Amino acid sequence: CKTSERKSRGGKAEARSRGGAKEKTLECGQIVWGLAFSAWPAAEEGDTDPTCALGLPCLVLATGLNDGQIKVWEVQTGHLLFSLLGHQDVVRDLSFAPNGSPILVSASRDKTLRVWDLSRDGRQVQVLAGHVQWVYCCSISPDCSMLCSAAGEKSALLWSMRSYTLIRRLEGHQSSVVSCDFSPDSALLVTASYDACVIMWDPYTGEQLRTLRHVPLHSTLDYSSDIHSSSLRSVCFSPEGLYLATVADDRLLRIWALELRSPVAFAPMTNGLCCIYFPHGGFIATGTRDGHVQFWTAPRVLSSLKHLCRKALRTFLTTYQVLALPIPRKLKEFLTYRTF
């Protein structure tokens, strides 16, 4: 594998006018199926071969490849840090621990998830087996206590990131589950399925809190017979935790407000496969089958003081800990998202 840099297509004059802008290509040698970014700890004095500049964190990119390899790169230099071997089939998804620790989880068509510790030379820490289908998606909770995985089965699996054991199966969908995401405070988990539904769960109790049903807009869209308009492809939370974005085969990107059961905004798009919010909100990126990434303006909202307090409390209190507090029942229901 090698890194290549080339001038922008506009020629030398244009490159000079843009400050010498360059494209960078990481040559992986295989089809790339999954990507994940993470910050790498800053180098310290005494490091004989620092990955990053002294005292400065750098950005690393993990790539999941068609042959089962995972290659981890330092983005600025294009230096290959690790080649992680273990999977026997396509690495479909990757997720770094959100707390900045060098833990990477990979999901593969070999029906397993694998946990890697990059601080220990990319050592494989654990193999999580329990799915009977290809694993499509994995998501680590922001508090790094749980991992959710979806594998095209009617149930999603919830794992402990502390003991690497199965906590529970989340059963409720009528068709394959293909996407999952945690809320920013780890108090909610959403799963998306081909059954046209997004289910909102309490990951601590396994309780279904809400179901969002995708109703085709037949009056405005002309569906061809070969498109299954009910098939959901992706779901993600907004950074403040008040909105959801979903992509479905009915050629729509939908934005949902957490407290409502119907979308608050739509955007027409074709061949949508995945979506993700910009980390600071306001924009959504969507990926398509025809090789495009599109960016959309998303609703912005100023979080209420009530929601900010709930989010702060739920960041370090589980559902069971909230229920044990000596506070009024209605307040407990609000803090556990039983009422919005």
PDB file of all heavy atoms in Angstrom, residues 37-72:
ATOM      1  N   PHE A  37     -13.097   7.144  11.637  1.00  0.00           N
ATOM      2  CA  PHE A  37     -12.081   8.095  12.070  1.00  0.00           C
ATOM      3  C   PHE A  37     -11.923   8.056  13.588  1.00  0.00           C
ATOM      4  O   PHE A  37     -12.876   7.760  14.315  1.00  0.00           O
ATOM      5  CB  PHE A  37     -12.466   9.528  11.682  1.00  0.00           C
ATOM      6  CG  PHE A  37     -12.182   9.890  10.250  1.00  0.00           C
ATOM      7  CD1 PHE A  37     -13.216  10.092   9.349  1.00  0.00           C
ATOM      8  CD2 PHE A  37     -10.884  10.053   9.808  1.00  0.00           C
ATOM      9  CE1 PHE A  37     -12.974  10.445   8.039  1.00  0.00           C
ATOM     10  CE2 PHE A  37     -10.612  10.404   8.491  1.00  0.00           C
ATOM     11  CZ  PHE A  37     -11.658  10.598   7.605  1.00  0.00           C
ATOM     12  N   SER A  38     -10.725   8.399  14.050  1.00  0.00           N
ATOM     13  CA  SER A  38     -10.496   8.583  15.482  1.00  0.00           C
ATOM     14  C   SER A  38      -9.264   9.452  15.668  1.00  0.00           C
ATOM     15  O   SER A  38      -8.383   9.502  14.800  1.00  0.00           O
ATOM     16  CB  SER A  38     -10.282   7.244  16.188  1.00  0.00           C
ATOM     17  OG  SER A  38     -10.110   7.420  17.589  1.00  0.00           O
ATOM     18  N   ALA A  39      -9.227  10.153  16.794  1.00  0.00           N
ATOM     19  CA  ALA A  39      -8.042  10.939  17.138  1.00  0.00           C
ATOM     20  C   ALA A  39      -7.019  10.031  17.803  1.00  0.00           C
ATOM     21  O   ALA A  39      -7.357   9.207  18.654  1.00  0.00           O
ATOM     22  CB  ALA A  39      -8.416  12.088  18.075  1.00  0.00           C
ATOM     23  N   TRP A  40      -5.763  10.180  17.418  1.00  0.00           N
ATOM     24  CA  TRP A  40      -4.675   9.383  17.993  1.00  0.00           C
ATOM     25  C   TRP A  40      -3.991  10.220  19.066  1.00  0.00           C
ATOM     26  O   TRP A  40      -3.773  11.413  18.892  1.00  0.00           O
ATOM     27  CB  TRP A  40      -3.687   9.011  16.895  1.00  0.00           C
ATOM     28  CG  TRP A  40      -2.655   8.013  17.331  1.00  0.00           C
ATOM     29  CD1 TRP A  40      -1.419   8.257  17.813  1.00  0.00           C
ATOM     30  CD2 TRP A  40      -2.799   6.596  17.312  1.00  0.00           C
ATOM     31  NE1 TRP A  40      -0.785   7.094  18.098  1.00  0.00           N
ATOM     32  CE2 TRP A  40      -1.605   6.053  17.805  1.00  0.00           C
ATOM     33  CE3 TRP A  40      -3.824   5.737  16.933  1.00  0.00           C
ATOM     34  CZ2 TRP A  40      -1.392   4.673  17.915  1.00  0.00           C
ATOM     35  CZ3 TRP A  40      -3.621   4.372  17.042  1.00  0.00           C
ATOM     36  CH2 TRP A  40      -2.417   3.854  17.534  1.00  0.00           C
ATOM     37  N   PRO A  41      -3.650   9.626  20.212  1.00  0.00           N
ATOM     38  CA  PRO A  41      -3.022  10.406  21.291  1.00  0.00           C
ATOM     39  C   PRO A  41      -1.739  11.090  20.835  1.00  0.00           C
ATOM     40  O   PRO A  41      -1.016  10.596  19.966  1.00  0.00           O
ATOM     41  CB  PRO A  41      -2.720   9.342  22.355  1.00  0.00           C
ATOM     42  CG  PRO A  41      -3.674   8.224  22.062  1.00  0.00           C
ATOM     43  CD  PRO A  41      -3.860   8.218  20.585  1.00  0.00           C
ATOM     44  N   ALA A  42      -1.484  12.243  21.427  1.00  0.00           N
ATOM     45  CA  ALA A  42      -0.284  13.010  21.091  1.00  0.00           C
ATOM     46  C   ALA A  42       0.972  12.259  21.520  1.00  0.00           C
ATOM     47  O   ALA A  42       0.978  11.525  22.511  1.00  0.00           O
ATOM     48  CB  ALA A  42      -0.334  14.379  21.762  1.00  0.00           C
ATOM     49  N   ALA A  43       2.035  12.446  20.765  1.00  0.00           N
ATOM     50  CA  ALA A  43       3.315  11.842  21.119  1.00  0.00           C
ATOM     51  C   ALA A  43       3.899  12.525  22.351  1.00  0.00           C
ATOM     52  O   ALA A  43       3.701  13.709  22.581  1.00  0.00           O
ATOM     53  CB  ALA A  43       4.281  11.955  19.936  1.00  0.00           C
ATOM     54  N   GLU A  44       4.619  11.760  23.147  1.00  0.00           N
ATOM     55  CA  GLU A  44       5.249  12.292  24.351  1.00  0.00           C
ATOM     56  C   GLU A  44       6.758  12.296  24.185  1.00  0.00           C
ATOM     57  O   GLU A  44       7.317  11.583  23.364  1.00  0.00           O
ATOM     58  CB  GLU A  44       4.849  11.437  25.564  1.00  0.00           C
ATOM     59  CG  GLU A  44       3.352  11.438  25.838  1.00  0.00           C
ATOM     60  CD  GLU A  44       2.999  10.550  27.009  1.00  0.00           C
ATOM     61  OE1 GLU A  44       3.931   9.913  27.562  1.00  0.00           O
ATOM     62  OE2 GLU A  44       1.807  10.483  27.373  1.00  0.00           O
ATOM     63  N   GLU A  45       7.402  13.122  25.003  1.00  0.00           N
ATOM     64  CA  GLU A  45       8.860  13.182  24.956  1.00  0.00           C
ATOM     65  C   GLU A  45       9.436  11.826  25.309  1.00  0.00           C
ATOM     66  O   GLU A  45       8.968  11.144  26.215  1.00  0.00           O
ATOM     67  CB  GLU A  45       9.375  14.250  25.927  1.00  0.00           C
ATOM     68  CG  GLU A  45       9.143  15.663  25.410  1.00  0.00           C
ATOM     69  CD  GLU A  45      10.008  16.667  26.147  1.00  0.00           C
ATOM     70  OE1 GLU A  45      11.227  16.436  26.198  1.00  0.00           O
ATOM     71  OE2 GLU A  45       9.463  17.631  26.666  1.00  0.00           O
ATOM     72  N   GLY A  46      10.443  11.431  24.570  1.00  0.00           N
ATOM     73  CA  GLY A  46      11.060  10.142  24.806  1.00  0.00           C
ATOM     74  C   GLY A  46      10.594   9.069  23.840  1.00  0.00           C
ATOM     75  O   GLY A  46      11.192   8.001  23.761  1.00  0.00           O
ATOM     76  N   ASP A  47       9.500   9.327  23.090  1.00  0.00           N
ATOM     77  CA  ASP A  47       9.046   8.370  22.088  1.00  0.00           C
ATOM     78  C   ASP A  47      10.097   8.263  20.995  1.00  0.00           C
ATOM     79  O   ASP A  47      10.519   9.260  20.410  1.00  0.00           O
ATOM     80  CB  ASP A  47       7.713   8.804  21.471  1.00  0.00           C
ATOM     81  CG  ASP A  47       6.543   8.606  22.423  1.00  0.00           C
ATOM     82  OD1 ASP A  47       6.770   8.001  23.489  1.00  0.00           O
ATOM     83  OD2 ASP A  47       5.430   9.059  22.092  1.00  0.00           O
ATOM     84  N   THR A  48      10.527   7.043  20.724  1.00  0.00           N
ATOM     85  CA  THR A  48      11.572   6.857  19.715  1.00  0.00           C
ATOM     86  C   THR A  48      11.033   6.987  18.299  1.00  0.00           C
ATOM     87  O   THR A  48      11.726   7.401  17.392  1.00  0.00           O
ATOM     88  CB  THR A  48      12.225   5.470  19.881  1.00  0.00           C
ATOM     89  OG1 THR A  48      11.196   4.470  19.812  1.00  0.00           O
ATOM     90  CG2 THR A  48      12.925   5.372  21.242  1.00  0.00           C
ATOM     91  N   ASP A  49       9.784   6.614  18.124  1.00  0.00           N
ATOM     92  CA  ASP A  49       9.198   6.683  16.789  1.00  0.00           C
ATOM     93  C   ASP A  49       7.778   7.217  16.891  1.00  0.00           C
ATOM     94  O   ASP A  49       6.802   6.492  16.703  1.00  0.00           O
ATOM     95  CB  ASP A  49       9.187   5.303  16.134  1.00  0.00           C
ATOM     96  CG  ASP A  49       8.687   5.348  14.702  1.00  0.00           C
ATOM     97  OD1 ASP A  49       8.734   6.439  14.106  1.00  0.00           O
ATOM     98  OD2 ASP A  49       8.238   4.300  14.194  1.00  0.00           O
ATOM     99  N   PRO A  50       7.627   8.498  17.215  1.00  0.00           N
ATOM    100  CA  PRO A  50       6.282   9.031  17.417  1.00  0.00           C
ATOM    101  C   PRO A  50       5.472   9.000  16.134  1.00  0.00           C
ATOM    102  O   PRO A  50       5.959   9.339  15.062  1.00  0.00           O
ATOM    103  CB  PRO A  50       6.533  10.472  17.877  1.00  0.00           C
ATOM    104  CG  PRO A  50       7.876  10.819  17.329  1.00  0.00           C
ATOM    105  CD  PRO A  50       8.655   9.538  17.334  1.00  0.00           C
ATOM    106  N   THR A  51       4.212   8.585  16.272  1.00  0.00           N
ATOM    107  CA  THR A  51       3.317   8.555  15.121  1.00  0.00           C
ATOM    108  C   THR A  51       2.940   9.960  14.702  1.00  0.00           C
ATOM    109  O   THR A  51       2.832  10.275  13.531  1.00  0.00           O
ATOM    110  CB  THR A  51       2.051   7.749  15.461  1.00  0.00           C
ATOM    111  OG1 THR A  51       2.452   6.440  15.874  1.00  0.00           O
ATOM    112  CG2 THR A  51       1.138   7.650  14.272  1.00  0.00           C
ATOM    113  N   CYS A  52       2.720  10.835  15.710  1.00  0.00           N
ATOM    114  CA  CYS A  52       2.286  12.192  15.447  1.00  0.00           C
ATOM    115  C   CYS A  52       3.348  13.177  15.915  1.00  0.00           C
ATOM    116  O   CYS A  52       4.294  12.816  16.605  1.00  0.00           O
ATOM    117  CB  CYS A  52       0.970  12.471  16.178  1.00  0.00           C
ATOM    118  SG  CYS A  52      -0.295  11.234  15.858  1.00  0.00           S
ATOM    119  N   ALA A  53       3.136  14.434  15.530  1.00  0.00           N
ATOM    120  CA  ALA A  53       4.035  15.480  15.990  1.00  0.00           C
ATOM    121  C   ALA A  53       3.992  15.570  17.509  1.00  0.00           C
ATOM    122  O   ALA A  53       2.963  15.320  18.139  1.00  0.00           O
ATOM    123  CB  ALA A  53       3.644  16.810  15.352  1.00  0.00           C
ATOM    124  N   LEU A  54       5.107  15.922  18.115  1.00  0.00           N
ATOM    125  CA  LEU A  54       5.212  15.979  19.566  1.00  0.00           C
ATOM    126  C   LEU A  54       4.152  16.906  20.151  1.00  0.00           C
ATOM    127  O   LEU A  54       4.043  18.071  19.766  1.00  0.00           O
ATOM    128  CB  LEU A  54       6.611  16.463  19.954  1.00  0.00           C
ATOM    129  CG  LEU A  54       6.956  16.396  21.446  1.00  0.00           C
ATOM    130  CD1 LEU A  54       6.939  14.959  21.929  1.00  0.00           C
ATOM    131  CD2 LEU A  54       8.316  17.032  21.696  1.00  0.00           C
ATOM    132  N   GLY A  55       3.353  16.377  21.060  1.00  0.00           N
ATOM    133  CA  GLY A  55       2.353  17.174  21.750  1.00  0.00           C
ATOM    134  C   GLY A  55       1.081  17.429  20.968  1.00  0.00           C
ATOM    135  O   GLY A  55       0.188  18.098  21.448  1.00  0.00           O
ATOM    136  N   LEU A  56       0.990  16.912  19.748  1.00  0.00           N
ATOM    137  CA  LEU A  56      -0.186  17.169  18.916  1.00  0.00           C
ATOM    138  C   LEU A  56      -0.880  15.853  18.570  1.00  0.00           C
ATOM    139  O   LEU A  56      -0.245  14.934  18.053  1.00  0.00           O
ATOM    140  CB  LEU A  56       0.213  17.890  17.626  1.00  0.00           C
ATOM    141  CG  LEU A  56       0.807  19.291  17.776  1.00  0.00           C
ATOM    142  CD1 LEU A  56       1.260  19.797  16.409  1.00  0.00           C
ATOM    143  CD2 LEU A  56      -0.209  20.245  18.375  1.00  0.00           C
ATOM    144  N   PRO A  57      -2.194  15.754  18.835  1.00  0.00           N
ATOM    145  CA  PRO A  57      -2.922  14.560  18.405  1.00  0.00           C
ATOM    146  C   PRO A  57      -3.071  14.556  16.895  1.00  0.00           C
ATOM    147  O   PRO A  57      -3.012  15.599  16.248  1.00  0.00           O
ATOM    148  CB  PRO A  57      -4.282  14.708  19.091  1.00  0.00           C
ATOM    149  CG  PRO A  57      -4.441  16.180  19.276  1.00  0.00           C
ATOM    150  CD  PRO A  57      -3.058  16.730  19.505  1.00  0.00           C
ATOM    151  N   CYS A  58      -3.229  13.385  16.323  1.00  0.00           N
ATOM    152  CA  CYS A  58      -3.416  13.302  14.878  1.00  0.00           C
ATOM    153  C   CYS A  58      -4.644  12.460  14.583  1.00  0.00           C
ATOM    154  O   CYS A  58      -5.197  11.792  15.460  1.00  0.00           O
ATOM    155  CB  CYS A  58      -2.180  12.720  14.186  1.00  0.00           C
ATOM    156  SG  CYS A  58      -1.783  11.041  14.712  1.00  0.00           S
ATOM    157  N   LEU A  59      -5.055  12.507  13.331  1.00  0.00           N
ATOM    158  CA  LEU A  59      -6.252  11.812  12.913  1.00  0.00           C
ATOM    159  C   LEU A  59      -5.877  10.491  12.266  1.00  0.00           C
ATOM    160  O   LEU A  59      -4.997  10.445  11.400  1.00  0.00           O
ATOM    161  CB  LEU A  59      -7.021  12.683  11.912  1.00  0.00           C
ATOM    162  CG  LEU A  59      -8.434  12.257  11.540  1.00  0.00           C
ATOM    163  CD1 LEU A  59      -9.353  12.315  12.757  1.00  0.00           C
ATOM    164  CD2 LEU A  59      -8.968  13.175  10.439  1.00  0.00           C
ATOM    165  N   VAL A  60      -6.536   9.407  12.687  1.00  0.00           N
ATOM    166  CA  VAL A  60      -6.310   8.107  12.067  1.00  0.00           C
ATOM    167  C   VAL A  60      -7.605   7.646  11.409  1.00  0.00           C
ATOM    168  O   VAL A  60      -8.703   8.014  11.821  1.00  0.00           O
ATOM    169  CB  VAL A  60      -5.818   7.050  13.078  1.00  0.00           C
ATOM    170  CG1 VAL A  60      -4.486   7.448  13.676  1.00  0.00           C
ATOM    171  CG2 VAL A  60      -6.844   6.804  14.166  1.00  0.00           C
ATOM    172  N   LEU A  61      -7.452   6.851  10.367  1.00  0.00           N
ATOM    173  CA  LEU A  61      -8.579   6.333   9.606  1.00  0.00           C
ATOM    174  C   LEU A  61      -8.438   4.824   9.490  1.00  0.00           C
ATOM    175  O   LEU A  61      -7.405   4.327   9.022  1.00  0.00           O
ATOM    176  CB  LEU A  61      -8.621   6.961   8.208  1.00  0.00           C
ATOM    177  CG  LEU A  61      -9.683   6.417   7.246  1.00  0.00           C
ATOM    178  CD1 LEU A  61     -11.081   6.762   7.733  1.00  0.00           C
ATOM    179  CD2 LEU A  61      -9.455   6.958   5.840  1.00  0.00           C
ATOM    180  N   ALA A  62      -9.470   4.097   9.925  1.00  0.00           N
ATOM    181  CA  ALA A  62      -9.495   2.650   9.765  1.00  0.00           C
ATOM    182  C   ALA A  62     -10.318   2.322   8.532  1.00  0.00           C
ATOM    183  O   ALA A  62     -11.399   2.886   8.322  1.00  0.00           O
ATOM    184  CB  ALA A  62     -10.092   1.979  10.997  1.00  0.00           C
ATOM    185  N   THR A  63      -9.820   1.402   7.704  1.00  0.00           N
ATOM    186  CA  THR A  63     -10.508   1.009   6.479  1.00  0.00           C
ATOM    187  C   THR A  63     -10.772  -0.494   6.521  1.00  0.00           C
ATOM    188  O   THR A  63      -9.861  -1.293   6.749  1.00  0.00           O
ATOM    189  CB  THR A  63      -9.660   1.353   5.237  1.00  0.00           C
ATOM    190  OG1 THR A  63      -8.363   0.739   5.356  1.00  0.00           O
ATOM    191  CG2 THR A  63      -9.480   2.856   5.105  1.00  0.00           C
ATOM    192  N   GLY A  64     -12.030  -0.875   6.305  1.00  0.00           N
ATOM    193  CA  GLY A  64     -12.411  -2.285   6.251  1.00  0.00           C
ATOM    194  C   GLY A  64     -12.438  -2.753   4.816  1.00  0.00           C
ATOM    195  O   GLY A  64     -13.127  -2.167   3.969  1.00  0.00           O
ATOM    196  N   LEU A  65     -11.704  -3.814   4.509  1.00  0.00           N
ATOM    197  CA  LEU A  65     -11.452  -4.191   3.123  1.00  0.00           C
ATOM    198  C   LEU A  65     -12.179  -5.474   2.715  1.00  0.00           C
ATOM    199  O   LEU A  65     -12.657  -6.248   3.545  1.00  0.00           O
ATOM    200  CB  LEU A  65      -9.949  -4.343   2.894  1.00  0.00           C
ATOM    201  CG  LEU A  65      -9.097  -3.138   3.300  1.00  0.00           C
ATOM    202  CD1 LEU A  65      -7.639  -3.388   2.971  1.00  0.00           C
ATOM    203  CD2 LEU A  65      -9.598  -1.863   2.631  1.00  0.00           C
ATOM    204  N   ASN A  66     -12.199  -5.684   1.411  1.00  0.00           N
ATOM    205  CA  ASN A  66     -12.938  -6.794   0.818  1.00  0.00           C
ATOM    206  C   ASN A  66     -12.377  -8.159   1.206  1.00  0.00           C
ATOM    207  O   ASN A  66     -13.100  -9.147   1.269  1.00  0.00           O
ATOM    208  CB  ASN A  66     -12.917  -6.647  -0.708  1.00  0.00           C
ATOM    209  CG  ASN A  66     -13.941  -7.500  -1.402  1.00  0.00           C
ATOM    210  OD1 ASN A  66     -15.131  -7.291  -1.235  1.00  0.00           O
ATOM    211  ND2 ASN A  66     -13.486  -8.485  -2.174  1.00  0.00           N
ATOM    212  N   ASP A  67     -11.063  -8.232   1.493  1.00  0.00           N
ATOM    213  CA  ASP A  67     -10.434  -9.513   1.799  1.00  0.00           C
ATOM    214  C   ASP A  67     -10.410  -9.825   3.293  1.00  0.00           C
ATOM    215  O   ASP A  67      -9.790 -10.809   3.709  1.00  0.00           O
ATOM    216  CB  ASP A  67      -9.014  -9.561   1.239  1.00  0.00           C
ATOM    217  CG  ASP A  67      -8.091  -8.522   1.865  1.00  0.00           C
ATOM    218  OD1 ASP A  67      -8.585  -7.699   2.673  1.00  0.00           O
ATOM    219  OD2 ASP A  67      -6.890  -8.516   1.545  1.00  0.00           O
ATOM    220  N   GLY A  68     -11.082  -8.990   4.106  1.00  0.00           N
ATOM    221  CA  GLY A  68     -11.123  -9.231   5.543  1.00  0.00           C
ATOM    222  C   GLY A  68     -10.071  -8.480   6.339  1.00  0.00           C
ATOM    223  O   GLY A  68     -10.083  -8.509   7.573  1.00  0.00           O
ATOM    224  N   GLN A  69      -9.152  -7.799   5.658  1.00  0.00           N
ATOM    225  CA  GLN A  69      -8.142  -7.004   6.362  1.00  0.00           C
ATOM    226  C   GLN A  69      -8.727  -5.679   6.848  1.00  0.00           C
ATOM    227  O   GLN A  69      -9.702  -5.165   6.292  1.00  0.00           O
ATOM    228  CB  GLN A  69      -6.959  -6.691   5.439  1.00  0.00           C
ATOM    229  CG  GLN A  69      -6.012  -7.826   5.176  1.00  0.00           C
ATOM    230  CD  GLN A  69      -4.739  -7.319   4.516  1.00  0.00           C
ATOM    231  OE1 GLN A  69      -3.891  -6.684   5.133  1.00  0.00           O
ATOM    232  NE2 GLN A  69      -4.608  -7.605   3.226  1.00  0.00           N
ATOM    233  N   ILE A  70      -8.095  -5.145   7.877  1.00  0.00           N
ATOM    234  CA  ILE A  70      -8.365  -3.773   8.331  1.00  0.00           C
ATOM    235  C   ILE A  70      -7.043  -3.030   8.290  1.00  0.00           C
ATOM    236  O   ILE A  70      -6.071  -3.467   8.912  1.00  0.00           O
ATOM    237  CB  ILE A  70      -8.936  -3.747   9.761  1.00  0.00           C
ATOM    238  CG1 ILE A  70     -10.237  -4.543   9.833  1.00  0.00           C
ATOM    239  CG2 ILE A  70      -9.165  -2.306  10.219  1.00  0.00           C
ATOM    240  CD1 ILE A  70     -10.677  -4.864  11.247  1.00  0.00           C
ATOM    241  N   LYS A  71      -7.006  -1.949   7.554  1.00  0.00           N
ATOM    242  CA  LYS A  71      -5.789  -1.128   7.507  1.00  0.00           C
ATOM    243  C   LYS A  71      -6.073   0.192   8.213  1.00  0.00           C
ATOM    244  O   LYS A  71      -7.088   0.836   7.945  1.00  0.00           O
ATOM    245  CB  LYS A  71      -5.338  -0.889   6.061  1.00  0.00           C
ATOM    246  CG  LYS A  71      -4.862  -2.172   5.366  1.00  0.00           C
ATOM    247  CD  LYS A  71      -4.287  -1.884   4.002  1.00  0.00           C
ATOM    248  CE  LYS A  71      -3.869  -3.174   3.300  1.00  0.00           C
ATOM    249  NZ  LYS A  71      -2.740  -3.838   3.974  1.00  0.00           N
ATOM    250  N   VAL A  72      -5.163   0.568   9.097  1.00  0.00           N
ATOM    251  CA  VAL A  72      -5.308   1.794   9.881  1.00  0.00           C
ATOM    252  C   VAL A  72      -4.213   2.762   9.461  1.00  0.00           C
ATOM    253  O   VAL A  72      -3.025   2.423   9.482  1.00  0.00           O
ATOM    254  CB  VAL A  72      -5.214   1.501  11.395  1.00  0.00           C
ATOM    255  CG1 VAL A  72      -5.444   2.787  12.194  1.00  0.00           C
ATOM    256  CG2 VAL A  72      -6.231   0.433  11.804  1.00  0.00           C
TER     257      VAL A  72
END
